[in-house]
Amino acid sequence: MRLSAKDTATGLVFAALIILAWVTVHISAIFFIDWTQDGLWLAAPFVIILQCWLSVGMFIIAHDSMHGTLAPQLPWLNKAIGRFCVFVYAGFSYEKLYENHHAHHRNAGTEDDPDFDAEHSSSFWPWYFKFFRHYFGWREFGILTVAVVAYLIILQERFPTMLVFWALPAILSSLQLFYFGTYRPHRIDETPFADRHRARSNDFSPLMSLLTCFHFGYHHEHHDAPWVPWWKLPAHRQTVLRANLS
């Protein structure tokens, strides 16, 4: 299925808004807001939650880039945006994520699936830690160490704000992405999978789906039609459900 130029423009606008919002919150919270002012710290949890959600959005943009659905008519831009999003997210390698994600689609829920833990297919924390160790290696640790040193030199006494408004939202968003986009869709439980995709969808409203994982929780629909960008998944899901009922 080929996406139209209008779809590409829409996807790029959404991507630009999410990236701009993430960068704005990141720079403002870390460099410009004085969180020691009376009462201002009360807003910090809301900023952390917002940045966590936006970090999920950054990863979903990169995910669509890996499927070529962000800007299919402009492959160089499609890849550049995906590479930028995962790099600022946590120093990730776009190429490694690309290779692993497509292996996940080919071998979902099997021992050949790099995102699946066959030994702990129903246990959240063991599976999450294996998932985390697989993607966060020495390369990512080195890049983030350089970033920490740079921020330490620039921020000096304000350095802890980096940990609170960058590191913490990144970690929380990894948990959010894993729970709603990997664990719930692919875990083994009493309900058998419907087909070879070995994936199920979260039965959430479009609003809850957006808030939890930018519609990545409509996971069976994604595996069945990976060319559908994240923002079109709710409509696609409704189309599939109506077809199944008729």
Side-chain angles (χ1 to χ4, degrees):
M1 178 179 179
R2 182 176 175 83
L3 296 176
S4 67
K6 181 179 178 181
D7 288 334
T8 296
T10 302
L12 288 174
V13 168
F14 281 135
L17 291 173
I18 293 168
I19 293 171
L20 181 61
W22 187 94
V23 171
T24 300
V25 173
H26 180 85
I27 293 175
S28 300
I30 295 175
F31 291 97
F32 294 117
I33 297 176
D34 182 3
W35 295 99
T36 64
Q37 291 184 12
D38 292 343
L40 196 56
W41 62 270
L42 293 172
F46 299 99
V47 175
I48 293 168
I49 291 171
L50 173 62
Q51 194 67 335
C52 172
W53 182 70
L54 291 172
S55 296
V56 171
M58 293 281 280
F59 195 89
I60 297 302
I61 292 169
H63 165 265
D64 274 11
S65 169
M66 294 172 206
H67 284 288
T69 60
L70 179 59
Q73 294 90 351
L74 300 167
W76 65 270
L77 181 61
N78 181 87
K79 183 179 290 187
I81 294 174
R83 184 175 284 120
F84 170 80
C85 286
V86 296
F87 183 80
V88 300
Y89 177 77
F92 288 131
S93 164
Y94 178 84
E95 285 69 25
K96 178 180 178 180
L97 290 173
Y98 179 96
E99 180 181 344
N100 279 271
H101 188 65
H102 284 273
H104 163 70
H105 273 264
R106 290 192 302 269
N107 309 290
T110 70
E111 292 186 353
D112 295 322
D113 178 359
D115 293 350
F116 185 70
D117 187 349
E119 295 181 2
H120 305 98
S121 57
S122 302
S123 302
F124 176 84
W125 288 110
W127 186 350
Y128 170 75
F129 287 128
K130 178 184 177 181
F131 183 86
F132 184 88
R133 289 194 304 270
H134 180 72
Y135 287 104
F136 192 83
W138 287 109
R139 176 190 183 277
E140 291 73 25
F141 179 78
I143 291 173
L144 293 188
T145 298
V146 172
V148 167
V149 172
Y151 274 58
L152 179 59
I153 294 172
I154 296 170
L155 296 171
Q156 297 181 5
E157 72 275 5
R158 283 175 52 85
F159 170 71
T161 57
M162 175 198 177
L163 301 179
V164 174
F165 297 107
W166 186 14
L168 182 58
I171 293 171
L172 293 175
S173 66
S174 74
L175 287 164
Q176 187 172 344
L177 279 162
F178 176 76
Y179 180 73
F180 291 107
T182 298
Y183 176 73
R184 282 179 61 97
H186 293 292
R187 74 189 187 279
I188 305 298
D189 62 16
E190 65 279 0
T191 304
F193 293 109
D195 54 30
R196 63 180 178 83
H197 295 303
R198 296 180 63 81
R200 60 179 67 87
S201 291
N202 297 321
D203 190 20
F204 295 159
S205 68
L207 176 60
M208 185 60 66
S209 175
L210 174 64
L211 293 176
T212 54
C213 208
F214 283 81
H215 305 311
F216 198 47
Y218 293 151
H219 210 72
H220 184 268
E221 288 78 11
H222 166 61
H223 272 259
D224 193 48
W227 55 84
V228 177
W230 69 267
W231 53 274
K232 296 189 77 172
L233 277 172
H236 177 72
R237 174 172 166 79
Q238 288 304 311
T239 299
V240 171
L241 291 176
R242 285 195 295 267
N244 289 339
L245 289 175
S246 61

